[in-house]
Amino acid sequence: MSNGSSLPPHRRLRGTLLVVLAAVLAAGLGGWLIWHSSRGDCGPRAGQPAPSDPAGHATGPGGSHAPGSKDSTGHGARDSLKGKVVVLDPGHNPHNNEHGRQIARQVDIGNARKECDTTGTATNDGYAEASFTLDLARRARTLLQKEGAKVVLTQDGDRPYGPCVDERAEIGNKAHADAALSLHADGSGAGNRGFHVILPARVTAGPADTAAIVGPSRQLGERLAGRFRTVTGSAVSNYIGDGTGLDKRSDLGGLNLSTVPKVFIECGNMRDAKDAAQLTDARWRQKAAHGITEGITDFLSH
């Protein structure tokens, strides 16, 4: 058998080139296999759901509720609310029942005089509306701040009672809020279910003049109702709003005295067992905070 040294020079060169080419191809194939096997930790594979946070919101690529990501309409990007001021008004106060005389004081709401504040309602098991609203406000504040907003709370468990409804409105006015939201839960009869958003009516009396905020407040309310429903899966009220989830009122000082776009949200009925099961669930409250954040972001992005 002859060896390579007896081959002509051009055949020896061709053999060498074939060996080099084979080595290059083998190295490239090995590198591709290593890359392909490792990319499974970088994100969900096709057909698999994105990872979720404790509240059930998608946090991976394509997740519409992940902090700092965009939702299906392009809103919700980190810093999308930079430069915006949002006022959250947790309804009532856990200590109002200890200060009956103070909260019974009458204040001027423009077209009437009403109590400074009230104790709010509670579930049949004793979970207070004031505790619910404060927890929800803190959750929403965290999410809104992640989007770049400056968030002001009318109270953060740091007051002995109140504040009164006129002061709640004034806090939003002095902050020059781009949007203000008062958080509540209803105390209606059993069987009455669902959430609704309260819009300011046209009121021009005494210190109240809502003429400039009726329009933008309705836009805020519509965006909020839509997002809240989508994110929480809750139905709109079956007893207020004729199936729209929207209700207009002229008897609430927090709306009458506001000079910035403002609405109330009644997140459910604490006296209905099914609604109460949601309102007392921390995971659901986190969803509610996401819905509120998306609604406000949607409004402020248009």
Side-chain angles (χ1 to χ4, degrees), residues 18-30:
L18 288 174
V19 171
V20 172
L21 179 60
V24 171
L25 290 174
L29 178 61

Side-chain angles (χ1 to χ4, degrees), residues 5 156 193 215 240 285 297:
S5 60
D156 194 9
R193 295 200 61 197
I240 290 178
R285 292 197 299 274
T297 300

Side-chain angles (χ1 to χ4, degrees), residues 131-146:
S131 298
F132 166 79
T133 62
L134 187 55
D135 178 77
L136 181 58
R138 289 168 174 168
R139 292 173 185 268
R141 174 176 60 187
T142 297
L143 296 175
L144 288 163
Q145 287 175 336
K146 287 181 179 179

Side-chain angles (χ1 to χ4, degrees), residues 246-268:
L246 302 174
D247 184 35
K248 186 184 293 185
R249 289 177 60 174
S250 62
D251 62 329
L252 298 174
L255 295 181
N256 288 4
L257 301 175
S258 181
T259 59
V260 300
K262 184 175 183 179
V263 298
F264 280 40
I265 184 168
E266 298 278 1
C267 296

Side-chain angles (χ1 to χ4, degrees), residues 64-225:
S64 64
H65 307 302
S69 67
K70 290 186 178 181
D71 62 23
S72 58
T73 65
H75 304 316
R78 188 174 295 279
D79 291 335
S80 62
L81 297 182
K82 187 174 183 180
K84 301 295 186 180
V85 178
V86 177
V87 170
L88 297 177
D89 177 28
H92 312 290
N93 184 311
H95 301 291
N96 274 358
N97 58 359
E98 303 167 9
H99 300 273
R101 181 175 59 82
Q102 289 91 337
I103 67 170
R105 179 173 63 87
Q106 299 285 298
V107 298
D108 187 359
I109 66 167
N111 56 1
R113 296 186 68 83
K114 291 189 70 173
E115 297 91 345
C116 156
D117 202 3
T118 63
T119 58
T121 188
T123 67
N124 293 332
D125 292 332
Y127 180 55
E129 179 187 2
S131 298
F132 166 79
T133 62
L134 187 55
D135 178 77
L136 181 58
R138 289 168 174 168
R139 292 173 185 268
R141 174 176 60 187
T142 297
L143 296 175
L144 288 163
Q145 287 175 336
K146 287 181 179 179
E147 304 303 330
K150 176 184 177 182
V151 183
V152 177
L153 265 60
T154 58
Q155 57 97 6
D156 194 9
D158 52 353
R159 301 179 63 131
Y161 66 90
C164 295
V165 294
D166 54 348
E167 185 180 353
R168 290 174 185 268
E170 187 62 18
I171 290 171
N173 298 343
K174 288 182 177 180
H176 302 289
D178 295 287
L181 174 61
S182 191
L183 306 172
H184 290 267
D186 208 359
S188 186
N192 291 339
R193 295 200 61 197
F195 76 92
H196 66 278
V197 176
I198 303 174
L199 313 175
R202 175 73 178 265
V203 176
T204 306
D209 186 356
T210 62
I213 69 163
V214 167
S217 294
R218 184 175 189 88
Q219 294 174 12
L220 170 60
E222 290 173 345
R223 301 292 170 85
L224 178 64

